[in-house]
Each structure stands twice: as C-alpha cells, then as structure tokens.
Amino acid sequence: MARAPHARTRGRRHAARITAALGVLTLALTGLVPAPAASAEDGTDLRVNLPETTSLPVVVAASGEGVLLDVSQGATPRYRATTDDGATFTTPDDRGLTDGRLTTARDGRLVSVVPGDGDGTTSSIYTYDFATGTTADPVTVPAADLLTADDRTAVFTDDTGAYEAFDLATGEQRALAYAPQLPEEDVAVSLGGGTTALMVQTMSTASGLAATGYLDLVPLDGSAGPGRVAVPGLVAAAVRGDQVVYAQAATTSTGSQSLCFRALGTWLDAPSCRTLKVAGLRDQRYVGVDLAAGPDWALWSISSDAGTASWVVAGTTSAAGPVAVQATEETELSWIGDPGRPVAVVPDGDPGFVGSVADDGFISKRFGFPGTPVVESVLELTPDRVTGLDNRPTVTTEDYQAWQRSVSATAIGEEQTPFPRGLDVGTSGARTLLDDGTKLRLYDRGDYVRSLSPGTYGSLPGLISGPYFPAYALSYQQALSVDGKVLKTATLRGLFGSLVLVRTNAKLGRYDVVDLAGGPSVRVNVPVAYRVQGFSLGGLWGDWAFGYTFDSSGVPWTLAINYRTDEVHSRYGLPVDYGNGFVVVKYADTAEDGSDVLGLEVWNPATGQAESIPDTDWDQVVTDGTARLAYSTSSELVLRTLDVVPTSAPRLLGAFAPASLNLITAARSWPLELDTTKAVEAGTLTITDADGEVVRTLTTEAGPDGSVRGIAWDGRDEDGEDVPVGDYTWQLVAAATDGSGNVVGVDGASDVGEEADGTNGVTGTVHVIREYLGTIAGATPTISGTAKVDRTLTARPGTWTPGGTSLGYQWYRTTSKGTTAIDAAVTATYKVTSTDVGARLSVKVTGQLEGWKPTAKTSAKTSTVVKASFTQTPTPTIDDRTPTVGDTVSAFAGTWEPAPVGLSYTWYKVSSSGKSYVLPGSGPSYEVKATDAKYRLKVKVTGTKAGYTTTSRTSKLTSAVAKA
C-alpha cells in the first residue's frame, strides 16, 4: 500500500518529512506520560525468523579468548559472543550493554555502567562473564554517574567534587586521597584490577599542542599514593597488571611521539620509552591517539591529516621497538580489553574476518564474520503477501535482495525471490513496482509486464496505489499511471488510488484532494490553530488525511483529518503508517528497565481507541490499509491482526483498461484490470448499452490479493454478434471475502445498486468504435532486372510500417492501347514473356494489416521490352562432304538455345563463280539432282521463336557434285 519515500528510518511512509523530528521525539517528550493504549490480545501475532546475512561486525570488547561483537547495522545493537575462535557464537545477556557504557574488559569479564538508574541518584553496574555467558545481577552504586568501574570497584565524584571509591563486594565507600592538578580539567580514571586507580589528566597549550599532563597512582583504600608524575606531552595512558603504558607527543611541532612503560612498584623511577618518528606528522595540533595495553603487548595508533597509522609493541618492561600494523584503511582495531593478542576486523578480505595482530604487525585470521539477521530496508503488505528488501548477501551490499511471502490469517508462507535486486519496491493488490537502479520494473502477480522510466529526479514506487504511482519532477511531483502516462504535476503529499493529496498553497497551509479519474476535488479543512503553529500533511487513505504538528513546547502530535466530515483528531507522537480510519504512531516511552524506547501503537482517531505493539525493537512498519500490520524487529518478521481498526467495504483504487474497444479487428479484446483495497470473491461484470440493456455478462475471478484480473470483452453480445459502436457501461458487483460488503468507489460510495440487497457496485465506461487504427505507410517500389523476354524482374518494396504489414504484388503491361493487369503475375518477381515485347512493365505493391487502412504504391514503368537473342546458334554441317548425283545429303543443325526453337532449312548450289541458287525443299535432307553436277552444296538453318530475334546460320560448302 501507499507509504512514504524510501529512507533509512524506523518507518518509511513519513520518513522524508519527519527525519528532522526524530531527535525531537526522544528529547522533547522526556518526562511526558502518553495516554495509555489498549494492549492487544495474546496470540494475535504471526512471527517468522528473519533470514541471515553475513555481518560486518564491530568488536565491542575482547578479553582472554572471549570476543564480544556487535553485528547490527542499525540503532539497536545485536551482540554475539565467542570464546572458541568463532566455532560457536552465543547471544549474550546484554543487560547493561545496550543501555549502558562499557568501562572495562579484563580477565574474561566485561563491566558496564547504566548511570542515573532508579530515581536518577544511583547507577547500576553489570558484569558479563565470557566463560558462563551470563550477566550477574546489577550492583547499585550511590552515584548518579560513575567515572569508571571494574568488577571490583566503582569510582565517582560526590557533590563536592571529591573522589570516592565503592567496593562492589562489601558496599563500603571510601574517600580517595586525590585532588587533580587542575581541578577545572577533566580526569580520566583507569582500573587495572588491583588496589590502585590510575588518574590521568591531559593538557594542551593555547595553540593546541600537547602540554604537560599528570599521572597519579591512587590507592583504593583511601591512603596516599606514591606521588604525582608530570609527563610532557601526555596524550593517552592505560594500566595493565603492575605497569602503566602511556603515549607522549613532542611539545613542539615535530613528527615524533614516544611510548613509555612505568612500573607501579617503582612509580617514581624513570620509565622505559620508545620514540617513533611518524612520517608526514608535522603539526601535532591536529593529532588523535588511541592506546590499548594487553598482557604483553601494546597497541598504539596516531591519526593526523596524513592519515592513520598503527603500531604494535611486544613485551612489557623490556618492550621491543614499535612495529607497523599491516592494516588497510578499512581495518578496524579493537581498543577495549585484554585479549591474548590485539583484535582486528578486516572487512576487505575475501571474505572478511576477525583476526589477531602478531608481533610482526601482520594480522592473521581467527574466524570469519558471523551471520546476523537481515535488516529490512523496505516492507510492503497487501491482502495476500508481504514483500520486502533486505541487505543480503552481505550487510555492505549497495542494492537489496527483493523477496515476498504469502500471508493468511493463520500463517506466513515460505520466502520466495521472484524479482531481481532493487533499491526500492512498492506493492498494491496484484501489482509490484521495483526500482532496480536504472528503471522501474512492473510486475502483475509475479509476471513481468513492462519497464518504466524512473524519472530524471527519482521515483516513488513505494507509494503505488492501484494503477497509480508518483515520481519526482524538477520542483514538484508527478502522478502517473502504470503505463507511464503523466496524469498530474503538483506538490503531491499523498496518494490513495485515483485520489491525490495536493498542497495547493504552502503559505496558507491549503490542501485539496484531487481525483485523477475526474471526480470532484475536496478541500481539506485544517483548523486555524494548526495552521498558525505549523503542520504538515503527508498521507491519504480513504476519507482521511494524516500528518503531524508540534505544539508550543515542541512536542509532536499526529493529526488525523476526515476531509469529508471535517473531523479533526490529534494524538501524541509521530505517524509511521496509516490505513482505513487508523494510523500507526510512534512515541517516546520508557521500558520496564527504565530505558528510553520508541513505542508503537495503532490509533483509531474516530473512536479514540489504540492498541500498543509489544516489541520495542521494531524497525520497518507497514499496514495493508485495512486490518493488518507487518513490521520487522531485530530478528523477526511479525504480522499482526489489528483490533481497533474500523470495518468498511473494499474501495476501488482504480480501473486500468484501453480507452476504447475497436471492432475493426477480428481478434479484438478489451482487458479490464481492477484494483481494490481488500481480497474479493468471484463476482459479475455486466455491460449495458446506452438504453440500459444488458448486452453481455461476464463472471469475474476471485481476487485474493485485492485485484480482479482475467476480464476481457471482445465487443460481442451474448449471441456472439458485434455490438453497435457507441458508449457502454460496465458494472462490477463483487463482495469482500471478509464479509464487509461489495466493492465501492474510491470515495466510499456505490455507483449503482442497493447495499441492502447486495446489488451495489462500481461502474465505468467503455467506448466501442470501428475505426482504422491508422494508414499503412510504404515506400514507392522499384524494379530491378532487364526488360527483355525471358528475363526475371524483381520488385523492391522498400520499408513499410507498422511492423507486421503483409505485402501483395500485381504486375502491369502498358501498350499504346493502355495499361492492363497481367494475369497471375502476383508475386515479387515476374518473368518477361513474348507478349510483353514492345510494352512497358510496372508493379503495384499493396500493404495490408488488420485494423489498418491499406496503402498501394506503384513503381515507375520499365523501358520498352525487347526481344531476346538466342544464347546458342551453332553452324550447321552436311553429313556428306563429297556428294554424287543421286545421293541424299542431310543437314545437322546442332542444339539451339533456349529450347524449344523452330528450325527451317534452305539448300543452295553454288557455281564455280560463287553464284548461289536456291534448291527446292525445306527439309533437313536433300536428294542431289543431275543438274547439280559440278556445283557445290550448302544449307542455311533459320531459328525462330516467339519473343526472340530470328537468326540464321549457313554451313560450309561441299565439294563439287560428281556425276553418277
């Protein structure tokens, strides 16, 4: 359902508009007691564990073999502990860790302090034991805040500024013999588990250089210490066992620092120091130093404008020289605790790991990153499924894994991943709109439909509502339909189906609800008091507009305005999500352990009823708009059926269909997609003409997701005949599966029928036309080939549109008597015949496509068709080269091409002077006569064929005819 633009806050729908208010919520409301909310009945929640992803942990502390990690990526820590190098991880008892301050980690135990517990005058100390995985019951210390504490002693200052030590085992409180060198400067206190405390005062000059600081060993029994040690350039100090390790910077702008070791037993003796020249470190006014000391190692880090470098120092009283740690910029070193070796997180390995720093500065792997429940970036809820985005496969991924689960009244289904990865996603009914980073991908019941442009300035797929969704324009927002058509550009503040909440005048705080489908606009009447003190509306559902305001004390209040009845209600807190006459509100609350939390409740403004959500570690929150709430916690996905929400009939969010049904095509269909707010049963769709007569009744399928699909009218009546062109009305009658009534309009009203007898429904219009879809466009054809008998001519049609156009051909012959179509010449090629000799040829190409007006284009005429020439005309031969009177001689014409060729023969006798005389006969044979004596013979063969030039070939002469 509709919600706010994507933002990494707890609750998305209003995130973009109330991010700045979140800090105010936990500060301005401190001490306020919100109105009590009705608790939900037990057993109304469905829960499944969130899947796991690879974490990017932070080492909270380490001691001995124990390592405590925070594997969360959000505001709420998720602790995992291991004592066997990652072979097993446990979830520790985190009392004191989540809400307190970790002070020491030593000897396998972690100590944390929760200041200001109870009535605000005491503090609680919690000790976690790695070996047992348990946290001991807290010890109460009579101080509102503590300087530090370990598992034996707490140190604090009293109301006079005097330093006190509190023995956790006996409860005895002692005054410490310590006064700081400069009372106005802060004092850092470290406890090494022994009988003394280390008091550290670091100073700086007016120019920002490190000045002389002071170290004091203060006995915890109240006796006097061995004396104060002044350390020039003191920047950090740590205590371990019987030794103090401290770092001192040069007191002039040089690039050197020193690490010194001072024994507790010989406190006033000269320390052992190691001096280090730091490359690039010229100005120590802008230097940060971290220092940690373990059993036989020290870890030292210096950060400056030149970057950060770290060193490990092996040994104790005879420490070796500093060795650079081989770390990348991404490596995180741990500074709390006394593990056997320094601990580091190396995230840029393949894969990343938690490792140990050796004496040579190299980091070796101890164990890989543990799994952690995913963090949900987005949650979407429709009547039959919950959809989301989470940070798999790793918490550092830049896009998100899209998933969905089916939901019912009794179960949350198995996870499915039918979509690609994305940056944002929204759902409404059957529709899913996914932003994959380059385009919007629209799905319908899991099937890919089309891609849409995400817009130059970004889109808001999470606000999809039925067939509508918004996107950003340059200075405004656009409301679009799911085919990408822009319907309205304005300052949009909410979307519910075809209804959009528009801020029409920012200065006057004026809002209107505008119907994209053409219905009337409605003014949202905001009381003057809210307009004066400032308010913002950012949500729309049904008849309600939702927003928030701050009172004169800076306390936030959720606003709910019924813009049809002008009811206005307010409730303490900020809106997270909303639905049919209810809103989910977050508010500052106090947990049972006294910690501050963000509570969550569902409020019905009309009745004033509210129900609280039991989880305080909620993250993403979304409703289906009617009866259910889905949210994620640090480890679970929760689906809750709401008790305080009103019940009403499903509303039609929108009807999406072609503008008209064109009868020009035989295979025509008018598909109608309907999206509602609830699951609906099978129903009927009737189509009536202008006289109100029913021409067709269709059965509609059930829509468990709130959408009605599978409707397609072919423009025919019940008898299968085409209906006349004109306007027709469709009417849907379909009931909600929860028994709340039939589908009504987006405004909550029925278009036709009576609710009492179940005939009420919604209507729309379809225009039936019979019109060409357009005219086919085509190029003028050309003819390739030679206009000569028996040659093949080819028509070149060129490009024709639209695609799918079929082409027909007709060849024409033009003579002095006119132009006539050539019988059977209806293909793209034509073989010239003898009939065409003396004529000119042309071709007409006709483009046809169902529903489109056909187009014919005729080529230019060819040149005049000429006769062809024989391709083979051999010279004839006479079989008897020495004829005698009385012989019969025969001519051999050879093979003439192309066959068949008509051949005729003419015989000649030739005198010695060369004169030729035609002999009688025309056949291939000739009987030599007595009169032919002394003459030589020859024969001429003439080939004839229709459409071909007549051609003759003559043989060679025989020898003179001899007398018999």
Side-chain angles (χ1 to χ4, degrees):
M1 298 300 294
R3 50 144 172 86
H6 184 189
R8 295 296 188 87
T9 60
R10 299 175 70 183
R12 297 182 56 199
R13 196 181 303 260
H14 290 272
R17 285 180 280 277
I18 63 175
T19 300
L22 294 178
V24 179
L25 183 59
T26 56
L27 296 174
L29 305 186
T30 302
L32 294 179
V33 180
S39 298
E41 295 292 329
D42 292 337
T44 59
D45 295 344
L46 301 174
R47 295 174 180 263
V48 294
N49 291 330
L50 294 174
E52 288 206 337
T53 184
T54 302
S55 66
L56 178 59
V58 173
V59 176
V60 178
S63 183
E65 296 300 315
V67 180
L68 180 67
L69 304 174
D70 179 5
V71 298
S72 72
Q73 303 304 308
T76 303
R78 296 176 183 173
Y79 295 112
R80 298 290 185 272
T82 181
T83 57
D84 53 10
D85 279 344
T88 59
F89 288 95
T90 60
T91 301
D93 180 349
D94 63 356
R95 288 180 298 163
L97 292 173
T98 300
D99 301 312
R101 181 180 81 253
L102 185 65
T103 56
T104 58
R106 188 180 57 249
D107 300 330
R109 291 182 291 276
L110 309 182
V111 177
S112 56
V113 174
V114 179
D117 245 4
D119 60 2
T121 63
T122 62
S123 296
S124 296
I125 298 177
Y126 295 82
T127 301
Y128 170 76
D129 191 316
F130 272 114
T132 63
T134 60
T135 298
D137 290 336
V139 176
T140 300
V141 179
D145 199 0
L146 305 180
L147 295 174
T148 192
D150 62 10
D151 58 341
R152 301 177 185 180
T153 308
V155 177
F156 57 91
T157 56
D158 63 17
D159 293 340
T160 66
Y163 287 77
E164 303 280 337
F166 184 87
D167 189 307
L168 303 187
T170 66
E172 183 180 356
Q173 182 173 329
R174 304 183 186 92
L176 298 180
Y178 172 73
Q181 179 75 20
L182 297 174
E184 67 276 9
E185 298 292 341
D186 290 338
V187 176
V189 183
S190 295
L191 296 171
T195 60
T196 58
L198 174 67
M199 307 297 195
V200 182
Q201 268 197 310
T202 58
M203 309 292 180
S204 60
T205 66
S207 63
L209 290 172
T212 297
Y214 301 92
L215 298 175
D216 286 84
L217 276 183
V218 180
L220 294 174
D221 61 3
S223 61
R228 175 167 293 155
V229 174
V231 180
L234 180 67
V235 289
V239 62
R240 61 176 180 189
D242 59 356
Q243 187 182 62
V244 170
V245 182
Y246 58 90
Q248 59 184 127
T251 55
T252 59
S253 294
T254 66
S256 64
Q257 287 206 5
S258 298
L259 191 67
C260 298
F261 303 85
R262 185 179 289 270
L264 303 187
T266 56
W267 180 246
L268 298 179
D269 291 351
S272 171
C273 295
R274 299 289 181 270
T275 300
L276 182 69
K277 186 75 173 179
V278 184
L281 181 60
R282 294 182 177 86
D283 191 345
Q284 296 207 32
R285 290 175 299 177
Y286 306 103
V287 171
V289 176
D290 288 305
L291 179 64
D296 60 355
W297 56 265
L299 193 63
W300 183 19
S301 179
I302 299 175
S303 299
S304 68
D305 290 344
T308 298
S310 302
W311 297 266
V312 62
V313 181
T316 55
T317 55
S318 58
V323 176
V325 177
Q326 303 302 306
T328 68
E329 292 184 0
E330 304 300 323
T331 302
E332 293 289 341
L333 300 173
S334 173
W335 301 97
I336 300 178
D338 61 344
R341 298 300 309 166
V343 179
V345 174
V346 183
D348 47 357
D350 188 19
F353 60 87
V354 176
S356 295
V357 182
D359 288 346
D360 60 5
F362 285 90
I363 302 173
S364 60
K365 179 179 178 179
R366 289 185 63 180
F367 52 87
F369 294 162
T372 181
V374 299
V375 174
E376 297 298 342
S377 171
V378 178
L379 280 184
E380 289 291 305
L381 184 62
T382 60
D384 73 334
R385 71 192 190 281
V386 59
T387 305
L389 297 177
D390 63 45
N391 57 343
R392 282 177 283 177
T394 64
V395 296
T396 56
T397 184
E398 294 183 358
D399 56 7
Y400 304 95
Q401 172 68 58
W403 57 267
Q404 70 178 22
R405 294 175 181 264
S406 62
V407 295
S408 67
T410 58
I412 301 176
E414 294 295 321
E415 181 184 273
Q416 297 176 321
T417 54
F419 311 117
R421 300 180 66 79
L423 300 179
D424 200 0
V425 69
T427 61
S428 179
R431 304 185 195 277
T432 300
L433 191 60
L434 177 81
D435 182 350
D436 68 4
T438 60
K439 57 186 174 298
L440 298 178
R441 301 171 66 94
L442 178 67
Y443 297 84
D444 200 287
R445 289 184 175 161
D447 294 330
Y448 175 74
V449 178
R450 67 178 63 90
S451 292
L452 300 168
S453 170
T456 305
Y457 302 96
S459 60
L460 298 166
L463 288 177
I464 185 173
S465 184
Y468 308 101
F469 72 97
Y472 288 110
L474 180 59
S475 302
Y476 299 93
Q477 294 82 42
Q478 296 174 328
L480 301 92
S481 53
V482 291
D483 58 357
K485 181 180 179 181
V486 177
L487 304 176
K488 188 172 185 63
T489 299
T491 305
L492 307 182
R493 286 295 179 263
L495 181 68
F496 175 73
S498 62
L499 302 180
V500 290
L501 178 65
V502 178
R503 190 181 69 189
T504 53
N505 190 309
K507 184 176 181 180
L508 297 179
R510 182 174 296 162
Y511 291 79
D512 290 333
V513 176
V514 179
D515 192 345
L516 301 174
S521 297
V522 181
R523 174 63 48 83
V524 181
N525 291 315
V526 181
V528 173
Y530 293 127
R531 284 188 276 148
V532 170
Q533 71 186 34
F535 75 99
S536 177
L537 296 184
L540 183 70
W541 211 103
D543 302 335
W544 293 85
F546 301 99
Y548 64 93
T549 186
F550 290 89
D551 64 19
S552 58
S553 300
V555 176
W557 297 87
T558 292
L559 296 180
I561 302 175
N562 188 314
Y563 60 88
R564 298 194 186 277
T565 65
D566 291 340
E567 293 179 60
V568 180
H569 304 275
S570 62
R571 189 172 183 85
Y572 159 78
L574 288 169
V576 177
D577 205 357
Y578 39 80
N580 177 34
F582 68 90
V583 58
V584 184
V585 179
K586 59 182 172 183
Y587 59 94
D589 200 4
T590 302
E592 292 182 359
D593 62 2
S595 61
D596 292 332
V597 296
L598 281 178
L600 197 68
E601 66 180 5
V602 179
W603 169 50
N604 182 329
T607 66
Q609 294 177 300
E611 59 182 282
S612 62
I613 305 304
D615 296 288
T616 58
D617 61 342
W618 57 270
D619 189 6
Q620 296 300 320
V621 180
V622 69
T623 81
D624 66 357
T626 58
R628 290 188 296 192
L629 177 78
Y631 62 93
S632 59
T633 69
S634 60
S635 61
E636 293 180 308
L637 173 66
V638 185
L639 183 67
R640 183 180 184 87
T641 299
L642 302 174
D643 295 327
V644 301
V645 300
T647 299
S648 63
R651 298 197 184 197
L652 179 66
L653 295 172
F656 185 73
S660 60
L661 171 60
N662 196 345
L663 302 181
I664 196 70
T665 60
R668 65 281 183 103
S669 176
W670 183 73
L672 175 63
E673 298 175 0
L674 301 171
D675 298 314
T676 77
T677 58
K678 288 185 176 182
V680 294
E681 297 176 347
T684 58
L685 186 94
T686 56
I687 299 173
T688 59
D689 61 19
D691 296 326
E693 298 295 326
V694 175
V695 299
R696 189 76 175 271
T697 300
L698 303 173
T699 299
T700 61
E701 301 174 355
D705 51 15
S707 293
V708 181
R709 297 292 188 265
I711 303 172
W713 182 39
D714 59 6
R716 296 182 175 92
D717 60 21
E718 299 289 3
D719 297 325
E721 300 295 330
D722 286 355
V723 300
V725 298
D727 289 342
Y728 291 78
T729 299
W730 58 263
Q731 175 184 331
L732 174 73
V733 176
T737 57
D738 65 0
S740 57
N742 290 350
V743 176
V744 296
V746 70
D747 59 356
S750 298
D751 296 329
V752 293
E754 297 295 333
E755 183 177 353
D757 59 13
T759 61
N760 62 309
V762 291
T763 64
T765 301
V766 53
H767 305 287
V768 177
I769 61 176
R770 189 183 296 274
E771 299 175 357
Y772 284 123
L773 303 177
T775 300
I776 293 173
T780 299
T782 59
I783 298 174
S784 63
T786 303
K788 183 180 288 188
V789 174
D790 276 354
R791 295 291 184 89
T792 297
L793 303 179
T794 300
R796 306 294 184 188
T799 301
W800 290 68
T801 57
T805 297
S806 62
L807 301 179
Y809 299 86
Q810 176 63 60
W811 291 86
Y812 290 87
R813 180 186 301 122
T814 300
T815 67
S816 59
K817 296 180 179 181
T819 299
T820 58
I822 302 173
D823 290 343
V826 291
T827 64
T829 58
Y830 173 68
K831 189 173 184 180
V832 182
T833 69
S834 59
T835 309
D836 301 321
V837 173
R840 300 172 70 189
L841 303 177
S842 59
V843 65
K844 180 171 72 175
V845 180
T846 302
Q848 293 181 309
L849 181 64
E850 186 178 35
W852 290 75
K853 185 177 181 180
T855 293
K857 297 282 188 174
T858 301
S859 72
K861 297 178 178 64
T862 65
S863 59
T864 302
V865 175
V866 298
K867 292 182 177 181
S869 299
F870 292 114
T871 58
Q872 187 168 304
T873 56
T875 299
T877 60
I878 299 173
D879 63 349
D880 188 352
R881 302 291 299 165
T882 58
T884 301
V885 174
D887 290 345
T888 298
V889 294
S890 296
F892 178 69
T895 302
W896 289 58
E897 295 290 351
V901 179
L903 300 177
S904 61
Y905 301 82
T906 303
W907 289 90
Y908 296 88
K909 63 181 180 179
V910 181
S911 68
S912 58
S913 63
K915 187 173 182 178
S916 297
Y917 301 92
V918 178
L919 298 173
S922 58
S925 298
Y926 173 72
E927 184 179 356
V928 181
K929 306 296 190 291
T931 55
D932 299 327
K934 297 184 180 181
Y935 287 86
R936 294 191 294 175
L937 302 179
K938 66 178 180 180
V939 66
K940 180 173 72 174
V941 179
T942 300
T944 58
K945 183 181 177 76
Y948 281 74
T949 302
T950 299
T951 304
S952 298
R953 292 291 184 265
T954 303
S955 71
K956 293 181 179 180
L957 293 170
T958 66
S959 61
V961 175
K963 293 181 179 181

